[in-house]
Amino acid sequence: MFFQKSVNVKKNVSLKPLHTFALEAKANYLYHWEKMARLPVLLNAIEQYDRVQFLGAGSNTLFLKDFDGLVVHVNTKGIQPKSIGNDQILLTVAAGEKWNTFVQYCVAQGWYGLENLTLIPGSVGATPVQNIGAYGVEAKNFITRVFGVDIRTRQNFVLDAIDCCFAYRQSIFKKQEFRNYLITAVEFKLSTKFEPQLSYGNLEQVVKEIAGYESINARHVTNAVRQIRMAKLPNPSIIPNAGSFFMNPTVSAQQASILLQKYPEMPHFEYPDHTCKLAAGWLIDKAGLKGITQGGVAMHDQQALVMVNQNNATAQDVLALKDLVQQKVFQKFGVMLEPEPVFVQ
């Protein structure tokens, strides 16, 4: 292929180190895209392949088998700040920036809002796709625009936040008709005035313990979130995993009321539209599935929501345990859990 040399496409490359669940899989072709200036050449190269898969940090992607096509590893860098007054700043961030590195950089610069999203693995480009969230904060609260290109038409796009149709772990980019959209950068609006969001769980208590007699600042919040996450979530660099394996399910207020009569201690969050979000990890735990194993995978013995690759797992192991958890939780609670990671086959 003519363009393989010009974009340095590699053949038969292991994907195991490029996705945090670390399943054994290979890409027929792999390209590390590191410079925005190379986008036209990349688009030319893409035309040579029947299948193309974009990959950021690989924290929410599971390759279930060898990929028969081109995997583009997005590793572009760059952060462009622009002050807009009223204690606000716009940041245009390249898709390949590591999310946690970006959050820490913002805190160091005095740009606030993302503190609660500390230590979430992944890249900036994946942020709007998944609408990441943690400890009472979601990315959609700070994303203003998403930039990219449709690889079919080569037309650039700029989508305002409202057009991204953000919802819980959802966005327009997850729909089939938008799978050919390559996100190149994301614009965030942050504040130069620190206003902590501490209402979720025991976050405020941990922040106050860390701050001691000092006034609470953004670093206290990021340290508290880091402490909480590290205490209950396995480090993917030590125990391969993709973070939360199932999304927290939303049920009707009526169904939640029935469940609460039987399980009054059940964690839940009520919405104004008469729906209720439940905690998937709690449901899995109460179904007796914490620590359960299937071949080389297990539901983590400290956090039932996380599936871990503990012993050279196979795709069959993953799918078998996924099905088992879904079946057992549905049998006990009448709630169907949906997986959060993207399965690439």
Side-chain angles (χ1 to χ4, degrees), residues 102-122:
F102 168 57
V103 172
Q104 300 308 315
Y105 178 75
C106 289
V107 171
Q109 296 297 316
W111 304 331
Y112 305 121
L114 303 177
E115 300 81 42
N116 295 38
L117 305 182
T118 293
L119 215 62
I120 293 180

Side-chain angles (χ1 to χ4, degrees), residues 289-342:
L289 299 170
K290 179 185 284 187
I292 190 171
T293 62
Q294 177 72 45
V297 296
M299 303 311 295
H300 194 247
D301 56 7
Q302 297 298 316
Q303 173 50 271
L305 186 57
V306 179
M307 185 186 293
V308 296
N309 179 354
Q310 63 179 13
N311 186 21
N312 297 317
T314 67
Q316 290 72 27
D317 295 336
V318 172
L319 295 177
L321 185 54
K322 174 190 77 70
D323 291 345
L324 177 62
V325 170
Q326 288 177 314
Q327 176 187 357
K328 294 294 185 181
V329 169
F330 186 79
Q331 288 176 346
K332 188 174 182 66
F333 301 103
V335 176
M336 178 56 69
L337 298 180
E338 296 296 334
E340 188 168 319
V342 175

Side-chain angles (χ1 to χ4, degrees), residues 162-264:
I162 192 171
D163 297 320
C164 294
C165 300
F166 290 127
Y168 171 67
R169 301 297 180 270
Q170 295 292 333
S171 72
I172 199 171
F173 303 106
K174 283 194 170 184
K175 295 183 177 181
Q176 186 61 41
E177 59 266 37
F178 293 92
R179 294 294 175 89
N180 289 305
Y181 275 29
L182 168 60
I183 295 173
T184 58
V186 183
E187 182 183 78
F188 299 87
K189 182 190 289 185
L190 302 184
S191 176
T192 56
K193 183 179 179 181
F194 176 60
E195 296 180 354
Q197 304 296 320
L198 305 177
S199 60
Y200 191 93
N202 66 334
L203 180 58
E204 183 173 13
Q205 175 186 342
V206 178
V207 168
K208 288 181 177 179
E209 290 173 355
I210 290 175
Y213 293 105
E214 299 179 11
S215 297
I216 294 174
N217 60 41
R219 187 60 65 189
H220 295 141
V221 176
T222 58
N223 287 343
V225 171
R226 179 183 295 273
Q227 178 177 310
I228 294 170
R229 290 185 67 93
M230 292 182 68
K232 70 177 186 178
L233 297 173
N235 185 336
S237 65
I238 299 174
I239 305 176
N241 69 86
S244 299
F245 195 85
F246 293 98
M247 293 185 284
N248 291 324
T250 299
V251 301
S252 67
Q254 180 181 11
Q255 185 177 2
S257 177
I258 294 172
L259 287 171
L260 284 166
Q261 290 178 22
K262 189 173 183 180
Y263 308 101

